[in-house]
Amino acid sequence: INLKARHFRNGKELPMIAENKHYDFNYQEVYYLKKQVKLLPGDIVSVTCGYQTRNRNKITVGGLKSSDEMCLNHFFYYPKADMSSCSTQPAIRNIVPFLLKLIQKGIMPPPTKNGTVGIYESLLKTTLNDTQLIQELRNLETYPPPMFYCARGNRSNLFNVGLYYQ
């Protein structure tokens, strides 16, 4: 329902690059910035999307279905750089303790040791109704700045552009 492009430098958040408070999948369009934004080596651009999932009692996971979370943002930039795509995601070292808490509380079934049930399958079976835990998860997805990866032009090489923790 909303989309934000946030900008971080040296672990500090700078003014937001762009925000669409009324995003609608059916009306996707290109927005031009009023002012150019200068990105320096090591800067992080984090794209955050908000969804309306209050009518669901299961965790919504990323995927290709309309009912899944899909958060994409395309940037036009210059000068040309040898990269084909970039990705941000919450830092795994921040998410794992939260998932372990869900397992310890019996909210999330644990993945199996033999790998037949992974984290994705466990998340699909998780019902999260505790408002405190929901807020904690929201905070983990937003702060601290996420991990940021880019793939080189031939997509054969993934490299870490920056990772900052507060």
Side-chain angles (χ1 to χ4, degrees), residues 5-35:
R6 299 164 55 214
H7 185 190
F8 296 89
R9 181 174 293 144
N10 298 323
K12 297 201 182 330
E13 187 164 6
L14 301 176
M16 194 168 323
I17 293 174
E19 181 176 23
N20 182 344
K21 293 180 181 179
H22 306 285
Y23 175 79
D24 186 331
F25 178 82
N26 297 305
Y27 299 100
Q28 299 180 47
E29 58 186 300
V30 174
Y31 293 93
Y32 293 96
L33 301 178
K34 291 179 179 157
K35 283 177 47 179

Side-chain angles (χ1 to χ4, degrees), residues 12-164:
K12 297 201 182 330
E13 187 164 6
L14 301 176
M16 194 168 323
I17 293 174
E19 181 176 23
N20 182 344
K21 293 180 181 179
H22 306 285
Y23 175 79
D24 186 331
F25 178 82
N26 297 305
Y27 299 100
Q28 299 180 47
E29 58 186 300
V30 174
Y31 293 93
Y32 293 96
L33 301 178
K34 291 179 179 157
K35 283 177 47 179
Q36 289 185 359
V37 175
K38 186 170 189 171
L39 298 176
L40 300 177
D43 282 6
I44 291 178
V45 175
S46 171
V47 176
T48 305
C49 294
Y51 299 90
Q52 172 46 275
T53 58
R54 288 191 179 108
N55 61 339
R56 300 180 187 182
N57 63 0
K58 298 281 185 193
I59 289 178
T60 303
V61 295
L64 299 176
K65 295 184 292 190
S66 292
S67 60
D68 295 336
E69 289 186 2
M70 291 186 275
C71 186
L72 301 172
N73 199 346
H74 301 275
F75 292 93
F76 299 104
Y77 67 93
Y78 66 91
K80 181 182 176 184
D82 183 29
M83 70 182 147
S84 60
S85 63
C86 293
S87 172
T88 58
Q89 61 191 39
I92 194 74
R93 72 185 268 186
N94 296 326
I95 296 294
V96 167
F98 179 79
L99 296 179
L100 289 173
K101 183 189 295 187
L102 294 182
I103 291 169
Q104 290 166 350
K105 289 180 173 260
I107 296 169
M108 177 177 157
T112 57
K113 290 183 180 178
N114 65 6
T116 55
V117 176
I119 290 177
Y120 181 81
E121 291 83 7
S122 292
L123 283 170
L124 290 177
K125 295 177 183 174
T126 300
T127 301
L128 194 56
N129 294 318
D130 183 314
T131 54
Q132 259 187 313
L133 289 173
I134 291 169
Q135 187 58 50
E136 185 178 340
L137 180 58
R138 283 187 186 130
N139 291 339
L140 283 172
E141 293 172 340
T142 307
Y143 304 99
M147 295 169 48
F148 181 60
Y149 291 96
C150 289
R152 298 206 189 278
N154 61 10
R155 303 198 101 169
S156 64
N157 189 341
L158 196 66
F159 60 96
N160 186 339
V161 175
L163 174 57
Y164 297 106

